[in-house]
Amino acid sequence: MDTLNLYYYKPIMKNLIIIASFLLLNSCKSGKMNQLTIIDTDGNKNIAILKDKDRESFELTQKDLEAINEILKTAVAKYNIEKKTHFKNKPITNLQLESYLINLKIYKRQYVPFKNEQEQKEIWINCFCSLDGHYKWQTEIVFVQDGGKCYFNLKINLDKKTYSMFSVNGQA
């Protein structure tokens, strides 16, 4: 790496280490979750991995994260296609299609890995595009009513490479 690049990356790395340390210390003090991890998958710090104290958990590997990302993209693409088809078949509407389509890049995500009754690896994923009062999203599950496409969740079975329970909140 040349000198110019090091000049730009050193302050960024220092800030990331400070922020990660602060978040880890605060999550341990709160006692709300067993683990906090922020992962960079698409160039954004947008994923928190939380553990459910009442279920057997497992550590997510990089391979797991890549598989989750692909399955999540597939689920969102299917949802978007269904919305486009629905709008295409509506004769006249004052609703805008864009207000129903999901752009995964703008969402924060919470991953809760657990083993199901068959000892298969599953992940419950909670996605939201607004923090609106949920500033502890890295340590506490975000639950909201309504909110439309800004809030959705699903469950992924890593062993079967499938998803289920894809649910988008309703609009008030």
Side-chain angles (χ1 to χ4, degrees):
M1 188 176 288
D2 63 281
T3 309
L4 182 62
N5 285 341
L6 283 176
Y7 177 78
Y8 286 106
Y9 289 113
K10 279 185 180 180
I12 293 169
M13 291 305 293
K14 182 179 178 184
N15 288 338
L16 288 175
I17 291 169
I18 291 168
I19 291 168
S21 299
F22 175 77
L23 291 172
L24 184 59
L25 288 173
N26 282 341
S27 69
C28 292
K29 288 179 187 175
S30 73
K32 302 231 181 220
M33 288 294 178
N34 293 338
Q35 175 191 359
L36 164 71
T37 310
I38 305 252
I39 307 277
D40 182 0
T41 57
D42 290 331
N44 300 312
K45 301 295 183 209
N46 63 351
I47 299 172
I49 300 174
L50 308 174
K51 297 215 176 173
D52 183 342
K53 294 178 183 178
D54 298 328
R55 298 179 121 174
E56 181 185 354
S57 189
F58 63 93
E59 297 296 321
L60 291 171
T61 66
Q62 186 61 38
K63 184 177 176 182
D64 292 337
L65 292 169
E66 290 167 5
I68 291 167
N69 201 39
E70 288 307 309
I71 296 167
L72 182 56
K73 285 179 182 178
T74 299
V76 168
K78 181 179 178 189
Y79 170 83
N80 285 341
I81 289 169
E82 289 170 359
K83 287 298 173 188
K84 287 176 185 175
T85 302
H86 177 76
F87 270 78
K88 185 178 179 181
N89 295 331
K90 288 280 184 183
I92 299 175
T93 180
N94 60 352
L95 301 174
Q96 297 295 318
L97 174 61
E98 291 74 28
S99 64
Y100 289 89
L101 298 180
I102 293 174
N103 176 1
L104 197 52
K105 292 179 182 179
I106 65 170
Y107 287 79
K108 301 278 188 207
R109 305 177 203 171
Q110 295 176 314
Y111 291 178
V112 181
F114 64 94
K115 291 203 176 174
N116 66 19
E117 297 80 22
Q118 293 80 31
E119 293 295 312
Q120 296 169 334
K121 297 191 307 185
E122 293 190 334
I123 300 91
W124 180 74
I125 300 176
N126 194 31
C127 300
F128 45 96
C129 65
S130 170
L131 288 178
D132 197 24
H134 301 285
Y135 302 109
K136 295 182 181 181
W137 72 273
Q138 293 116 335
T139 57
E140 298 176 7
I141 297 295
V142 173
F143 287 111
V144 297
Q145 293 181 355
D146 298 323
K149 72 166 186 175
C150 194
Y151 300 93
F152 72 94
N153 58 70
L154 70 154
K155 186 171 66 170
I156 289 178
N157 184 313
L158 275 178
D159 292 325
K160 293 181 178 180
K161 303 285 190 248
T162 59
Y163 70 92
S164 61
M165 299 171 39
F166 188 97
S167 176
V168 177
N169 283 22
Q171 294 200 19

